[in-house]
Amino acid sequence: MLFVTLPVQSVSFDNIISEKEISTAKLKYGVLAVRRIQALQTLISENASKPERLQVNLVNDFFSKVTYMEDEAAWGQKDFWATPAEFLAKDKGDAEDFAIAKYFTLLAMGVDEKKIYFSYVTATRIKRSHMVLTYFRNPNSEPLVLDSLTDRVLKASVRSDLIPIYSFNAQDLRDSSQVSSKQGFESSMHQWGQMRARMKQGILK
Amino acid sequence: MSFKSNILIFISLMLVVLLVGTFGLNMSTTQAFLEKQLQSHSYDTANSLGLSLSAVADNPSSAQTMIDAVFDRGHFARIELLDIDGQPVYQRSNDAISSDIPHWFIELVDINIAPSSAVVQRGWMPIGKLKVQAHKGYAYIELWLVFKSLVQWFLIAAAIFLTSAYIAVRLLLRPLKRAQKQAHAIANKEYILQDPLPKTTEFRQLVNAMNGMVTKLQQVFTREAQVAEKLRSMAYQDSVTGLYNRHYFDMTFSSIVDEDQTTAQGTVYLLRINGLKEFNTHYGYQLGNELVKHLARIFRTTLSTTDGVYVRLNGIELIALLPNTKPSSIQKNADQLLLATKTLREELNLEEMPIELTAAIARYTPNESKSKMFSQLDFLIQQAGEVYNDSVQVQREDAQRAFNNDQWQQLIDTAIVERRFKLFKQDAFNLEKATYESELLVRMIGDDGKIQSAAYFMPAVEQLRMESKIDQLVLRLVTEHLQSEQSSTVYSINLSKSLLLSSNAFDQLVPHLEQARGAKLAFEFPESAVYNNLAACKNIFNVLRQFGFKVGIDRFGIQVADLQYLKTLQPDYIKLDASFSDQIESDASTNSYVESICEVASNLDIDVFAMSIEQEAQLEAFKSSGVRYFQGYYFSTPIPL
């Protein structure tokens, strides 16, 4: 119980899952959903000062317990980017949802956002477009791939089954939207924007 | 400031607020839309170009070509390729904004487009960053076009709106203007009613009130005029026949035969109804009255001449004064009149007619004595009664006195050529006994050097239709006099009635009036002539007023019963008939009649003159009746001008 009450006041926790989201999750998805969220909060608070390499493995392991499922089946929508709270509450999600949840968790643990990229890749084995999260220890080092298709964190060179196509960094997305003088740009633009807006407003679908 | 301009300013202000508000909203919406549009343009280009560059990451020259191609073909302010450390690798930029857009507009409108960035990668490795910023110029061009068309549209809208507002306000306020006109008209003694009533409630009430007031005032005026009429008929009319009564005859006789009047000579006709007493006993008074009434009508129509005066002297005698006629010319009518008994017997359905008519015809001359004339007539009528088969007795012509027309013509023409017509003046005074105006009288110096009054030559002048010549002559004389001698008093001039009868005669007088323009002159016509030619008189009065002259009516109050025509003509003054002076101090009904004339006149801002005042008592009586201006021998006699 100590972990439930205290960490809520921490800034990094607020960024991922707010009290409002938790109470909505309890109503919509039940006590188990709240437990999963509390587990995530415990993970973050307990490992905030651990080495990054360990954090990456812990986070990957934590989310590998969530079931992979296409948006259509999980959310009844063809393409839906879930917030970490929605992802955990539903306990289901596709590649983007995994990547997003891992990304925000790593950030909450203190990893510099410049080191983490979202990457569009082609998965040759399943012959389809796919999204993974890549972690760069430094700008020139070989990245680690956090992939929902496997439980293991592997070096990029080992993942010959993935062809990297294009990457983006959350910072780039923010640059384009926040400088704009007009409101509502981010939220209306794309899936990323809508997801961020829900996070900020504490909306849980 | 007027109510109208206040309203218009208020409407304009509202309009400006409305338009500026709409304008601002429209501009900012457009601007926001354009900014969003360009932002997403930057974002999309950054993404797609970043993706393309990732594909050729091994070949820097190809990357540059791609950037060039995208930059040249699109609207971009900046496309920048940075390496992973943030150092620029390649960059294209264009900040120029189309010269069509004024500088102040760019200063005024701040368009803000942030650069969008995307990652360029080789394999798994990000190797650089792409920054793309769309060009503001496009937004400025669009906004400038919108701005221009908005300004145009708003100017047109403002013009249309203000014009219609102006017209609407004018239309709405029209009843107010009309009410103003009504009020002014009342000051000029005109009574205008507004119709139709305005639709606006407040103005309808105002107009109703105005109309009510105008109607009331008009009623007051009409009532006063009616009172005057009633007083007059009570005082001077015979109730049975409608002819004048003895009272009137006595009063007017001396003014009719006054030597300065054109009526001073003519024929007098006396008709006696013999046997009326028997008739009344036989048939009763009612039928007797009926008979006299019919006789009076026939009497009047048969003898009808201009300026004729018809009087029932007593129960059985009717008398007519017919100015400027000769007994011989009347004789035929007189004979005809005696046959009236026969027609009347038929008309009244009587078995027998005990009435016998006798008549006497005599001449009267200037300053004729009334008693002398009556004894003459008595004598003649007695003769007519005795000589049964000649019921009309005519006074023998005084052959010695009479000129024929040719002789008169020559006499007058010579007098004009030899300048023997002279002007005299008689002053009129106000209450302070200061000279108010002078009436001009025309006299002729005869062959024998004797000064002759108008009564001497005017009948002949009228007979020869030379009145307008005399009018012109008088006007010429007064103009000549005023050129040699300045005068501060107004000279009033009697115009002949021929001017009212033919517009040609007046046209001939106009050049002479033109010459006298600016002089202090007043012109007057006798009332009987004015009343019978109201339209012509109104025209002439208008012309005279345009020349700056005053206009008036002479010999007022006796001939015409209806005073309402004063409202139509609006003369500057009226001169009461001289006959009022004989009666004013003794006769109460004359006194109240004069009083009511003064009342009506003062309502119309008309000056009233009393004439032929000879005694202090007359003056006092006129003063107490409300007359303010006086003329007569009591004050001054006519003197040469």
Side-chain angles (χ1 to χ4, degrees):
Chain A
M1 287 311 287
L2 181 77
F3 294 118
V4 180
T5 47
L6 275 179
V8 172
Q9 275 143 28
S10 155
V11 176
S12 50
F13 276 87
D14 253 6
N15 280 346
I16 303 185
I17 297 166
S18 65
E19 276 299 309
K20 196 178 166 193
E21 284 173 300
I22 295 173
S23 56
T24 318
K26 192 172 181 180
L27 280 175
K28 275 192 173 177
Y29 297 100
V31 188
L32 282 178
V34 179
R35 290 256 172 82
R36 285 193 291 274
I37 292 170
Q38 284 167 349
L40 177 66
Q41 288 171 335
T42 313
L43 174 79
I44 293 167
S45 58
E46 277 183 353
N47 301 295
S49 51
K50 299 277 168 62
E52 282 184 5
R53 184 63 185 80
L54 180 58
Q55 286 174 337
V56 168
N57 274 357
L58 286 172
V59 169
N60 197 55
D61 286 348
F62 181 84
F63 285 109
S64 63
K65 287 162 198 131
V66 180
T67 318
Y68 183 93
M69 190 181 274
E70 294 297 329
D71 288 336
E72 187 78 67
W75 296 98
Q77 221 170 301
K78 201 161 189 186
D79 193 19
F80 180 78
W81 291 18
T83 63
E86 288 166 342
F87 178 61
L88 271 185
K90 182 71 92 176
D91 203 20
K92 287 165 190 155
D94 69 353
E96 286 94 2
D97 303 333
F98 277 93
I100 290 165
K102 289 172 187 172
Y103 172 80
F104 282 109
T105 310
L106 284 171
L107 247 54
M109 286 172 145
V111 179
D112 186 354
E113 64 175 1
K114 281 181 195 156
K115 293 181 176 173
I116 315 170
Y117 284 79
F118 290 91
S119 284
Y120 283 98
V121 296
T122 306
T124 52
R125 207 168 294 154
I126 58 173
K127 291 200 173 78
R128 52 170 294 177
S129 154
H130 182 53
M131 182 182 272
V132 298
L133 202 66
T134 47
Y135 167 78
F136 290 79
R137 194 168 46 79
N138 63 56
N140 295 315
S141 65
E142 191 185 359
L144 294 172
V145 178
L146 288 78
D147 185 1
S148 54
L149 292 177
T150 168
D151 294 345
R152 297 170 63 201
V153 176
L154 295 172
K155 279 188 175 178
S157 56
V158 183
R159 298 299 304 266
S160 54
D161 60 325
L162 301 179
I163 305 169
I165 301 298
Y166 187 59
S167 304
F168 68 90
N169 182 308
Q171 199 188 358
D172 295 336
L173 289 168
R174 228 182 17 249
D175 284 350
S176 304
S177 54
Q178 282 179 352
V179 182
S180 171
S181 59
K182 301 291 171 265
Q183 294 240 315
F185 181 66
E186 190 187 53
S187 61
S188 69
M189 277 288 278
H190 39 51
Q191 293 284 9
W192 172 262
Q194 288 171 11
M195 183 273 292
R196 278 297 288 155
R198 284 205 304 283
M199 264 182 91
K200 279 176 187 162
Q201 292 163 30
I203 296 171
L204 189 85
K205 261 199 131 176
Chain B
M1 198 192 290
S2 73
F3 177 66
K4 194 161 69 188
S5 13
N6 271 326
I7 279 207
L8 283 177
I9 286 174
F10 178 72
I11 290 178
S12 312
L13 275 177
M14 296 297 287
L15 181 73
V16 166
V17 168
L18 193 73
L19 290 190
V20 166
T22 318
F23 190 93
L25 196 66
N26 215 318
M27 282 297 281
S28 71
T29 315
T30 312
Q31 186 184 350
F33 171 76
L34 286 168
E35 277 184 356
K36 241 182 202 181
Q37 203 72 359
L38 289 176
Q39 191 72 64
S40 89
H41 178 53
S42 311
Y43 184 82
D44 291 345
T45 308
N47 269 331
S48 54
L49 189 58
L51 196 54
S52 305
L53 288 178
S54 295
V56 294
D58 298 326
N59 193 343
S61 60
S62 294
Q64 286 184 12
T65 314
M66 271 186 189
I67 290 171
D68 285 343
V70 170
F71 185 84
D72 291 342
R73 297 198 39 102
H75 302 288
F76 298 101
R78 191 173 304 273
I79 297 184
E80 210 172 0
L81 183 61
L82 307 169
D83 67 16
I84 200 71
D85 302 319
Q87 296 304 311
V89 177
Y90 187 67
Q91 164 182 341
R92 290 289 307 270
S93 67
N94 171 24
D95 289 323
I97 290 173
S98 167
S99 57
D100 291 343
I101 295 149
H103 193 66
W104 60 264
F105 186 75
I106 295 168
E107 297 266 293
L108 199 72
V109 183
D110 185 27
I111 292 177
N112 196 351
I113 299 162
S116 293
S117 54
V119 175
V120 178
Q121 65 188 87
R122 184 194 295 132
W124 287 100
M125 301 294 295
I127 53 165
K129 211 171 209 184
L130 187 69
K131 284 202 165 183
V132 176
Q133 189 176 18
H135 201 294
K136 296 175 184 180
Y138 171 71
Y140 276 118
I141 289 171
E142 281 297 307
L143 264 182
W144 177 239
L145 285 178
V146 168
F147 178 81
K148 277 200 296 189
S149 69
L150 275 180
V151 166
Q152 261 174 22
W153 194 86
F154 283 162
L155 285 180
I156 292 169
I160 291 173
F161 196 81
L162 279 180
T163 317
S164 44
Y166 178 76
I167 292 170
V169 168
R170 261 191 87 107
L171 283 179
L172 277 176
L173 292 186
R174 219 167 35 180
L176 213 57
K177 262 245 150 65
R178 290 215 203 97
Q180 201 180 349
K181 237 184 218 163
Q182 276 180 304
H184 280 305
I186 289 171
N188 295 328
K189 310 295 173 200
E190 283 167 47
Y191 305 103
I192 302 172
L193 289 178
Q194 267 201 58
D195 188 58
L197 292 173
K199 291 199 172 58
T200 332
T201 328
E202 289 84 348
F203 285 134
R204 179 184 284 263
Q205 284 162 358
L206 172 79
V207 167
N208 270 330
M210 280 302 285
N211 281 350
M213 189 174 85
V214 167
T215 316
K216 202 92 214 157
L217 283 172
Q218 194 167 22
Q219 280 167 359
V220 167
F221 176 81
T222 315
R223 203 175 309 133
E224 270 169 12
Q226 279 165 352
V227 166
E229 270 165 43
K230 205 164 172 195
L231 284 172
R232 177 179 173 280
S233 71
M234 268 162 56
Y236 308 125
Q237 258 178 344
D238 177 63
S239 56
V240 176
T241 59
L243 297 183
Y244 293 118
N245 57 18
R246 173 80 194 216
H247 189 91
Y248 178 87
F249 183 81
D250 291 343
M251 192 171 120
T252 52
F253 183 76
S254 56
S255 75
I256 290 173
V257 299
D258 185 271
E259 59 176 352
D260 281 325
Q261 301 296 345
T262 56
T263 52
Q265 56 179 304
T267 307
V268 57
Y269 181 100
L270 182 71
L271 182 74
R272 181 172 287 168
I273 313 164
N274 300 300
L276 186 61
K277 201 176 169 198
E278 291 77 8
F279 186 95
N280 280 342
T281 352
H282 202 79
Y283 292 109
Y285 276 98
Q286 207 181 341
L287 215 52
N289 281 345
E290 195 72 11
L291 175 89
V292 177
K293 201 167 148 187
H294 276 90
L295 260 178
R297 184 174 46 78
I298 298 168
F299 176 69
R300 198 182 172 132
T301 49
T302 314
L303 294 174
S304 163
T305 49
T306 47
D307 294 344
V309 175
Y310 310 92
V311 180
R312 187 180 186 192
L313 272 183
N314 51 49
I316 58 163
E317 281 179 330
L318 307 180
I319 194 168
L321 286 175
L322 310 167
N324 305 318
T325 50
K326 289 177 190 158
S328 53
S329 62
I330 293 300
Q331 181 125 35
K332 211 176 184 179
N333 294 350
D335 288 340
Q336 203 187 332
L337 195 52
L338 294 184
L339 301 175
T341 44
K342 285 202 182 89
T343 3
L344 282 177
R345 190 181 150 190
E346 302 276 307
E347 204 165 312
L348 295 172
N349 254 325
L350 306 173
E351 308 88 53
E352 52 181 282
M353 183 58 114
I355 295 292
E356 195 72 50
L357 294 177
T358 48
I361 303 176
R363 156 190 295 286
Y364 72 88
T365 52
N367 295 338
E368 175 86 54
S369 130
K370 201 161 60 184
S371 54
K372 215 179 107 194
M373 190 183 79
F374 273 122
S375 56
Q376 171 88 28
L377 287 172
D378 279 342
F379 171 69
L380 288 171
I381 208 129
Q382 218 159 346
Q383 267 195 332
E386 282 161 10
V387 187
Y388 181 74
N389 52 3
D390 188 10
S391 313
V392 181
Q393 277 297 323
V394 184
Q395 189 188 29
R396 281 184 298 112
E397 291 278 348
D398 186 351
Q400 204 187 359
R401 215 181 156 279
F403 292 117
N404 65 28
N405 284 353
D406 289 342
Q407 286 168 316
W408 268 116
Q409 176 92 50
Q410 206 183 355
L411 190 73
I412 291 168
D413 284 342
T414 336
I416 292 176
V417 173
E418 293 176 359
R419 302 183 70 89
R420 283 197 275 110
F421 280 101
K422 297 290 178 200
L423 290 180
F424 279 58
K425 67 168 183 175
Q426 188 173 17
D427 292 342
F429 297 86
N430 61 15
L431 284 171
E432 286 79 39
K433 298 208 170 177
T435 308
Y436 185 73
E437 61 121 70
S438 299
E439 181 166 0
L440 295 182
L441 308 166
V442 61
R443 300 275 153 99
M444 186 179 102
I445 302 171
D447 295 330
D448 48 4
K450 255 174 79 179
I451 294 172
Q452 299 284 3
S453 71
Y456 173 70
F457 57 84
M458 276 318 277
V461 165
E462 280 178 24
Q463 195 84 38
L464 296 167
R465 300 186 187 284
M466 292 174 73
E467 300 108 307
S468 55
K469 242 187 188 160
I470 298 298
D471 285 332
Q472 293 166 20
L473 177 74
V474 170
L475 206 50
R476 207 175 66 220
L477 289 175
V478 75
T479 313
E480 282 170 11
H481 170 77
L482 287 174
Q483 274 162 0
S484 62
E485 195 177 320
Q486 282 297 321
S487 163
S488 59
T489 33
V490 175
Y491 288 125
S492 67
I493 296 166
N494 288 281
L495 292 176
S496 67
K497 64 169 181 263
S498 69
L499 296 175
L500 296 171
L501 301 174
S502 115
S503 62
N504 199 26
F506 185 68
D507 291 343
Q508 286 173 3
L509 192 66
V510 168
H512 297 269
L513 290 168
E514 188 80 54
Q515 290 236 307
R517 188 194 274 274
K520 285 184 165 179
L521 294 179
F523 292 92
E524 58 203 44
F525 289 107
E527 183 185 44
S528 58
V530 166
Y531 189 68
N532 292 322
N533 304 285
L534 273 183
C537 187
K538 197 173 166 77
N539 285 338
I540 289 178
F541 274 10
N542 283 341
V543 175
L544 289 171
R545 281 210 181 89
Q546 279 167 24
F547 281 116
F549 303 135
K550 286 185 165 189
V551 293
I553 299 173
D554 195 14
R555 305 193 59 189
F556 184 89
I558 285 299
Q559 305 253 327
V560 178
D562 173 22
L563 293 184
Q564 306 246 27
Y565 78 95
L566 284 180
K567 209 171 77 184
T568 323
L569 286 184
Q570 305 259 343
D572 297 301
Y573 63 89
I574 53 180
K575 290 180 172 171
L576 296 177
D577 195 276
S579 49
F580 285 111
S581 307
D582 294 340
Q583 305 284 330
I584 189 81
E585 85 262 45
S586 56
D587 181 34
S589 56
T590 298
N591 215 315
S592 50
Y593 178 47
V594 169
E595 223 166 83
S596 73
I597 289 179
C598 286
E599 198 117 330
V600 170
S602 89
N603 270 338
L604 297 172
D605 293 329
I606 298 172
D607 294 342
V608 180
F609 287 74
M611 310 299 282
S612 298
I613 293 173
E614 286 167 3
Q615 291 147 26
E616 171 117 36
Q618 293 172 339
L619 175 65
E620 291 309 318
F622 275 124
K623 269 187 189 171
S624 67
S625 299
V627 178
R628 295 279 169 274
Y629 306 101
F630 313 96
Q631 183 188 319
Y633 286 102
Y634 177 71
F635 295 98
S636 67
T637 53
I639 50 166
L641 188 66

